Amino acid sequence: MRARQTEAGVALLAVLFALTLLMLLALPFSVSMSAGADAAAREVDVARAEEASASVRDLLLATAALSHPAFDETRDYDGADEWPNEVLVPEAMREIAADGRTTLGGEVVDLQRYIALDSASPLVLANILGTAVRLSEPLPPDATAMAVDDTAALPESGYLWIAHEVLRYGGKDGNRLVDLERGLFKELGYTVPTEPYADRLLVLDYRCVLAAAWPFLGRANSLAERVPYAAVPELAEIGTRGLGSFTQSEIDKFAAVLSVETLAETAATWGRPERVFDDLVAGESRSLRVKSALHVGAGSTVRLRDLSSGAVEYGIVMRATNERSRRDLLLPSVFGLELLLPVSQPFTGGDTVIEPLVPSPVNLNTAEPAVLTALFEDVRREDGIRVHDSDGRQRIAPPAAISRNEARMLADEIVAGRRADGPYTGWKDLVERLFVPRVGEGSREDKMRWVYFYRNLRTGRDAVIEMGTAPITFASGPWVRYRAGASLKRSRVAPAVAARHERSGFAAAVPGFRLEHAWTTQEQFENAFVLDRRSPYWLTTPINLGAPQPGDLGNDPAGRYFPHLVAHAFPSLGLGQPRYASTEELDAGTQPETASAPYTAWAKSLQSGHDTFSQAQSPRGREVTRDGPYLMPNTGPSDRGSAPAASGGGRHDVISFPFSGQFGFMQPFATQFWVEPQTLANVTLFDHGDGNTDRNRFAVLGRDGNLVLELLDEAGLDPNPSDSPSGVKRTAVEIQVPIADIALPADTALHVAASAHSGRLDEVELHVDGVPRGKTRYVTYLSSPLDVFDPTIGNTNQLPPSGGNKRYLDIQVEDTEGFPPVGVLRIGTELFEYTSVNGSSFRCQWNDSIGGRGARQVAREHAPNIPLDQNGRPTIDIKDL
């Protein structure tokens, strides 16, 4: 019994020991299982966060892709709202955040809101730092101190660039830079001053000049190579040259405004090449001459290429000028481009071309105020470019530059306007919202300042600008920078983060174009070619925007500032309504530019004027069917002793001439023009008169199936033509050409020239397509000689007396078609009254009862001096009735 009890006790102890051991083993096992569960949960959360951030990225980029013209409702412009700066979860993704643990965030940054570092001009870099200044007084060549408008942002000491000279200043004394060291680095090709520098001349921080040239001046092995910046902080590399460096604060300012990833949709890498005419000598030549530089202005990074030798070199244009007198190059204009440094190798004139690096534009609708301020500040016209302003006057002294305060106010106004009235939809919207209030009032100089500022916004490289900044656009390119993130909490109430994931990078959010791309509106054509400007002698349709202005320099497409803005600035010039590109998808396209003859110096001695139709709505000129005939006012007789002059009272839409000279006699007059009519029936093409259609009028018109040149003198039309004994219905000098004889197809160019040397019928001519056409009414030629007339003797061509005292004379002519049945002839200086027309002769009579002479005949003692035409034939015409 005792043994059994002992065995039972041992068994109980074994069970208790086993239970204790199991309990001891259960704790680490349970802890191990809990840790494994937590690790597994964390892995799940990390995977969920990573997948969520990828989904956020895809969602943001898909939203940004809707900005592509194929999907965008506002295809010609992109506002800030098209680039999402927060995550709006669609219905299909809301389950991700339904548990309350998931938080999503991210944004897409439009890179077109930044200025492209790769093509940034020295002025842009200096504007970002505020280190572009201007002389506030002239600077003599031996001066040891210089006064500038602002020294606040300049380093305490440093180097400056001014007019190809590099100088060093040792300190600042208020707005004066002192302890100047002049004419540095002559061995590199910089100049030593010999003449004073003018007031308001641009002075640049040399660090910014060096930074703009650093891709080929410091990052490459020679000037024949170019290594663009890969990141904005690489600007700090210029410190290795020992001429100053950028501080971290300045690098941060650059990073807020510049980017290396900007990419416009249609901009080319290198622009249209211009041929260089002069040989360039290594180490000496920094100036070169080209035919046109309107897209290679100051601030442009350029590439020189010798097409014969293959030599290549890079540089920066620091100034553009144009020659005032051309002796060896017979070209409409010759531009001079001055590089930062002389070339390092020889280039052959005629075989060398220069190509500008096309700057990427900044989207005005997404750019921040700091970016816009850097684009606007210190823009003004170059004083080395002689230009003809819209009123015909030449300007030499440039207008004032856009100041720093003006640039900031303008940038703030643009940003506020975007918020209040929506994004700017295009150039027309920009002009009406921003420029019209500024050019509507103020002096002429102030208006021109804004006109030149507008020119800089168009291309950022206009040669008439002292130094360009960057162009603007209203739509963004494909490149964006994105940031997408997701985080998961442990629970809805626990604040601790269980997992998070963030990703960032760059992407082409907007799909690219196909190789063959169609632009369907004129506005799209204009925006596609505005920067590269590869289309000289071509223009877009249907609105006339590209017709060059008389006196415009270069052979580039005409600047759009004239049709866009000048009519607003100078309404008294008669330029008509401002013209902008059409947004209709009807007649959009390109066509060759309409040719125009240059206004030459010989015409200055004559009463002449010309009109190139550069202010017409249609590229082909005036639309007569819509706008009426081309009117040239008749200013009436001129004062005795003064030469009558052509004038339009300063208006471009009016060319006026007097109808008669200083003694009341008609002045010689001629005009020529091209027409492209649908029909010539019942349309007046040209009308030179004083508003009265019945007198003092010179007109070319279509009437009764004829193209008619009509000339009316001071007497004008007969008020009672029915009382005329000869039956003349319209007492006017006329030349008529049957329209059927011209055989002109519709919409075909036709050249018309009309002239009247006097009011004589034989001195009025009408040329159609350069050939004399038609027949002057009441003009014919003698077919046989007309002897001296003596009524007492009679002539061989005189009929015998027919009773009483009446005698007759038949005048033989080539043709009597169109002459009235009775009338008065003028042959030379004699007048003959005829009473009937018989075939090809006129029968005249005289009356012996009035002295043996015809009632309206003027006899002479000798043979009449009858004028001859160009073929030696005597002429005859009817006297004005």
Side-chain angles (χ1 to χ4, degrees), residues 507-522:
V510 180
F513 293 118
R514 295 181 177 179
L515 183 61
E516 181 179 352
H517 178 72
W519 287 283
T520 57
T521 69
Q522 184 183 14

Side-chain angles (χ1 to χ4, degrees), residues 41-343:
R42 283 197 299 272
E43 290 182 3
V44 171
D45 288 342
V46 169
R48 286 187 62 187
E50 185 174 348
E51 291 298 325
S53 69
S55 298
V56 170
R57 176 200 59 194
D58 295 341
L59 174 62
L60 292 173
L61 295 181
T63 304
L66 297 177
S67 180
H68 189 273
F71 316 109
D72 195 358
E73 294 182 358
T74 57
R75 57 190 305 180
D76 294 323
Y77 62 93
D78 296 322
D81 58 335
E82 298 185 37
W83 311 103
N85 58 2
E86 60 180 345
V87 180
L88 300 177
V89 181
E91 188 68 30
M93 292 180 61
R94 290 186 178 175
E95 293 183 3
I96 297 177
D99 57 357
R101 298 174 55 211
T102 305
T103 301
L104 306 176
E107 65 176 346
V108 170
V109 178
D110 166 33
L111 294 178
Q112 214 68 42
R113 70 177 59 180
Y114 298 105
I115 301 173
L117 173 57
D118 190 37
S119 59
S121 70
L123 179 60
V124 163
L125 299 178
N127 282 345
I128 295 172
L129 303 182
T131 56
V133 296
R134 292 189 178 274
L135 293 177
S136 58
E137 61 184 36
L139 180 65
D142 57 350
T144 59
M146 60 188 296
V148 297
D149 56 359
D150 186 11
T151 63
L154 288 171
E156 290 303 316
S157 64
Y159 294 85
L160 301 174
W161 177 95
I162 175 172
H164 299 313
E165 179 195 1
V166 174
L167 58 85
R168 184 183 183 278
Y169 64 95
K172 298 190 294 185
D173 181 11
N175 280 349
R176 298 182 67 83
L177 303 175
V178 297
D179 299 330
L180 300 183
E181 299 178 38
R182 306 293 300 276
L184 301 180
F185 311 132
K186 293 180 291 185
E187 67 280 4
L188 298 179
Y190 292 106
T191 61
V192 177
T194 58
E195 298 291 336
Y197 294 142
D199 181 21
R200 308 307 301 166
L201 190 63
L202 181 65
V203 182
L204 294 174
D205 182 350
Y206 185 63
R207 296 177 303 165
C208 297
V209 177
L210 192 61
W214 194 249
F216 56 86
L217 203 58
R219 294 173 60 84
N221 296 321
S222 69
L223 296 181
E225 299 180 28
R226 184 173 180 272
V227 182
Y229 291 105
V232 174
E234 292 179 350
L235 286 166
E237 294 177 6
I238 67 164
T240 60
R241 187 57 63 93
L243 301 175
S245 61
F246 296 120
T247 65
Q248 185 58 49
S249 174
E250 291 173 329
I251 294 293
D252 292 341
K253 290 182 179 180
F254 285 138
V257 173
L258 301 171
S259 175
V260 297
E261 291 91 8
T262 57
L263 179 65
E265 291 180 352
T266 56
T269 301
W270 295 96
R272 177 166 60 86
E274 286 288 340
R275 189 172 299 277
V276 178
F277 293 107
D278 302 317
D279 291 339
L280 304 180
V281 181
E284 297 181 9
S285 302
R286 70 151 25 102
S287 298
L288 47 90
R289 295 191 298 172
V290 297
K291 181 179 180 181
S292 176
L294 294 184
H295 64 309
V296 202
S300 298
T301 296
V302 293
R303 178 174 64 187
L304 284 166
R305 287 194 299 131
D306 192 323
L307 303 181
S308 59
S309 67
V312 174
E313 187 166 316
Y314 296 91
I316 289 183
V317 177
M318 298 300 288
R319 192 184 185 207
T321 61
N322 69 296
E323 293 187 1
R324 303 329 173 32
S325 61
R326 300 178 299 275
R327 298 180 180 178
D328 58 331
L329 293 178
L330 300 179
L331 297 172
S333 61
V334 176
F335 279 85
L337 301 178
E338 300 177 9
L339 302 178
L340 174 65
L341 296 173
V343 295

Side-chain angles (χ1 to χ4, degrees), residues 6 50 130 168 214 410 524 541 797:
T6 301
E50 185 174 348
R168 184 183 183 278
W214 194 249
L410 196 61
Q524 292 172 3
T541 58
N797 59 352

Side-chain angles (χ1 to χ4, degrees), residues 598-657:
Y599 185 60
T600 54
W602 67 267
K604 294 181 180 179
S605 61
L606 304 175
Q607 301 173 44
S608 60
H610 70 290
D611 191 346
T612 63
F613 293 107
S614 57
Q615 67 270 16
Q617 284 283 340
S618 170
R620 308 296 287 175
R622 185 181 183 88
E623 295 186 4
V624 173
T625 54
R626 185 191 66 188
D627 303 327
Y630 185 84
L631 301 176
M632 181 178 290
N634 168 22
T635 58
S638 61
D639 295 334
R640 180 173 179 176
S642 63
S647 65
R651 293 184 63 90
H652 282 249
D653 59 342
V654 175
I655 298 177
S656 60
F657 282 93

Side-chain angles (χ1 to χ4, degrees), residues 639-757:
D639 295 334
R640 180 173 179 176
S642 63
S647 65
R651 293 184 63 90
H652 282 249
D653 59 342
V654 175
I655 298 177
S656 60
F657 282 93
F659 194 85
S660 59
Q662 57 181 337
F663 299 108
F665 294 103
M666 178 181 170
Q667 288 285 97
F669 181 84
T671 185
Q672 60 177 333
F673 48 85
W674 288 85
V675 292
E676 200 172 273
Q678 283 281 345
T679 177
L680 291 173
N682 301 319
V683 59
T684 300
L685 303 176
F686 174 82
D687 194 342
H688 173 38
D690 58 3
N692 188 338
T693 59
D694 294 338
R695 57 184 292 182
N696 289 336
R697 185 182 183 220
F698 185 105
V700 180
L701 62 151
R703 180 195 297 147
D704 300 331
N706 296 306
L707 180 64
V708 179
L709 164 61
E710 183 175 79
L711 181 64
L712 296 172
D713 59 10
E714 177 68 23
L717 291 177
D718 187 346
N720 298 303
S722 60
D723 296 341
S724 172
S726 60
V728 176
K729 297 181 180 179
R730 191 169 183 84
T731 52
V733 177
E734 288 185 359
I735 294 180
Q736 297 183 353
V737 180
I739 295 176
D741 291 353
I742 300 177
L744 179 69
D747 299 319
T748 302
L750 176 72
H751 179 253
V752 178
S755 63
H757 192 268

